[in-house]
Amino acid sequence: MDVPTLLRAGARVLAEAGVPSPEADVSALLAHAWDIDASTLARRRLFAEAVPAAVAARFARLLDERSRRIPLQHLTGVAHFRRLDLAVGPGVFVPRPETELLVTEVLDHLARRDTAADSDTAPLVVDLCSGSGAIALSVALERPGTRVIGIEREAGALRWSRTNLARLDLGASDVDLIAGDATTAAGDHPELVGTVDVVVTNPPYVPDAAVPKDPEVRDHDPAAALYGGVSGLEIPALILAQAALLLRPGGLVIMEHAEDQGAGVREIIAGVAGLAAATTFPDYTGRDRYTVAAATAPRTHPTS
């Protein structure tokens, strides 16, 4: 069977299984089965090349797994995020494209910081709930010379992030990926209190009773990375309190949340001493996706 025919047949299978992006997924699966990149696959599709039997068999197995709604990234082992090809699989949250915007916000703040009087010191970014390391490693890769600390509670996710760190050449960047609880970060690391330029976080924020509809999320993303409490904002509220302790005056906290949670996050921030000027920003689709607030003064007495 040639490439176009196989791709069309595979796309029909995935569409019937309810996969949201069947055409893109079959292309990724066939490229993975053939151990080629997307541009090579596109050329072979253009010329209607025949697919070797062994490749077709591997593709059929992958297609069956994807039709059972196993995440595409678990099958290919890769999640694309900004400039990174992250290793992912069971035990770690698969990073989403909208989270890339948090990295942009971090980099923009550090660029503004460069014009300040103390710009000769290396900036410090703390990524709470760092998961696969997507945010932490992107900041380190795109802003050399930055000290980045990623804190992750779940051992499985931490293993994936450290695997991703080991695959990168980050030059002058100083990256530490450590085990820890984002809700007690300041108390666990008093040496960081009042020293951090940016606290960035994609925390669990799904309400406990709001089980996601998509099987890829519901059945495969770790529950610890999804559920944030009864309202979804209990854990984010605890993390915001920690951010207020960690940040230096003028530093930023950047938090991702659901599209209907912007007002709730801003309300929480209004009640956190040391944080002010909360603003919510949209994602690529125009939906509210993350909120930014500034640290107004250092707090030196961590609370739980």
Side-chain angles (χ1 to χ4, degrees):
M1 189 178 294
D2 62 42
V3 173
T5 302
L6 190 61
L7 288 174
R8 285 195 297 269
R12 285 195 296 271
V13 169
L14 294 189
E16 290 170 2
V19 172
S21 52
E23 291 82 6
D25 284 19
V26 291
S27 294
L29 291 174
L30 183 54
H32 181 67
W34 214 337
D35 195 24
I36 57 177
D37 60 23
S39 61
T40 301
L41 178 65
R43 185 171 64 251
R44 293 180 181 180
R45 181 178 189 170
L46 178 65
F47 291 102
E49 292 187 19
V51 179
V55 172
R58 286 196 293 273
F59 174 72
R61 291 193 293 272
L62 291 167
L63 190 68
D64 176 67
E65 291 179 289
R66 185 68 187 103
S67 68
R68 291 187 279 112
R69 306 301 292 271
I70 296 173
L72 174 68
Q73 296 86 351
H74 285 196
L75 298 176
T76 63
V78 175
H80 304 292
F81 187 88
R82 292 181 70 96
R83 300 181 190 175
L84 298 173
D85 292 329
L86 296 164
V88 296
V92 70
F93 183 82
V94 174
R96 305 329 194 225
E98 56 267 26
T99 305
E100 295 179 353
L101 293 168
L102 277 68
V103 178
T104 300
E105 199 72 39
V106 174
L107 297 176
D108 287 349
H109 178 69
L110 296 183
R112 292 190 296 269
R113 177 191 181 278
D114 287 343
T115 65
D118 61 353
S119 61
D120 58 336
T121 62
L124 173 57
V125 175
V126 173
D127 176 18
L128 298 177
C129 307
S130 61
S132 65
I135 295 173
L137 297 178
S138 290
V139 171
L141 178 67
E142 298 183 42
R143 218 292 188 169
T146 303
R147 185 185 175 205
V148 181
I149 300 173
I151 297 178
E152 172 57 50
R153 185 184 66 182
E154 300 301 311
L158 188 60
R159 284 194 293 271
W160 283 108
S161 67
R162 287 173 172 169
T163 294
N164 287 316
L165 174 58
R167 296 168 58 183
L168 293 175
D169 179 8
L170 293 177
S173 293
D174 179 8
V175 182
D176 292 306
L177 301 174
I178 61 177
D181 191 328
T183 67
T184 59
D188 297 337
H189 300 280
E191 74 282 2
L192 297 179
V193 169
T195 70
V196 179
D197 292 281
V198 182
V199 172
V200 59
T201 180
N202 180 13
Y205 53 73
V206 177
D208 291 346
V211 178
K213 294 182 296 183
D214 292 339
E216 291 89 343
V217 179
R218 181 187 66 232
D219 301 334
H220 297 281
D221 276 330
L226 293 177
Y227 300 107
V230 174
S231 72
L233 291 178
E234 283 82 359
I235 291 176
L238 296 173
I239 291 174
L240 287 167
Q242 296 299 300
L245 295 165
L246 293 169
L247 288 169
R248 62 189 301 179
L252 290 189
V253 57
I254 304 167
M255 174 175 281
E256 183 172 324
H257 49 72
E259 62 186 83
D260 60 350
Q261 292 176 331
V265 170
R266 293 194 302 273
E267 183 178 354
I268 292 168
I269 289 170
V272 176
L275 295 181
T279 306
T280 299
F281 295 92
D283 60 19
Y284 299 115
T285 67
R287 298 180 177 93
D288 284 354
R289 184 55 58 192
Y290 68 95
T291 293
V292 178
T296 58
R299 293 171 61 199
T300 58
H301 301 288
T303 57
S304 59

